[in-house]
Amino acid sequence: PEPDPAGAEIVLVQRRGASRRILNLAQIVLWLRRAYPGSKVRVVCFEAMGLREQIETLLHCRILVAVHGAALMHAMHLASGALVVEIH
């Protein structure tokens, strides 16, 4: 089931280094804003955040988008019914 996108928060996790970065991030953000009007699209870098801030970021997240890796461990903090998009 899809989460209700109205007013939902969508979080994209971007990495600092060249490895496992989302290269077309701007296009993905634009697509998500068009696909889910009224939703807040946030791009975050977990490497620049403490653990508490990372968890708080995901408490209201309805869609989490991240490249395959350790950042997806945080999916356990998502609300029931939230979606995870894993990019390979």
Side-chain angles (χ1 to χ4, degrees):
E2 289 187 34
D4 178 12
E9 184 165 281
I10 302 168
V11 174
L12 283 92
V13 180
Q14 179 66 305
R15 296 186 53 109
R16 283 185 180 169
S19 173
R20 291 187 277 165
R21 281 181 68 80
I22 300 173
L23 300 177
N24 61 338
L25 182 68
Q27 290 136 328
I28 292 172
V29 169
L30 181 62
W31 183 87
L32 286 168
R33 287 185 175 145
R34 288 180 181 162
Y36 298 100
S39 294
K40 179 180 178 183
V41 179
R42 270 180 83 187
V43 177
V44 300
C45 178
F46 281 158
E47 297 146 311
M49 305 166 115
L51 180 59
R52 181 184 197 111
E53 187 179 3
Q54 293 174 23
I55 293 168
E56 288 173 353
T57 296
L58 297 177
L59 290 178
H60 301 289
C61 173
R62 300 296 292 160
I63 303 173
L64 172 64
V65 181
V67 173
H68 173 81
L72 290 170
M73 170 196 75
H74 292 297
M76 72 174 112
H77 302 293
L78 295 171
S80 178
L83 296 177
V84 176
V85 178
E86 179 179 8
I87 300 172
H88 285 266

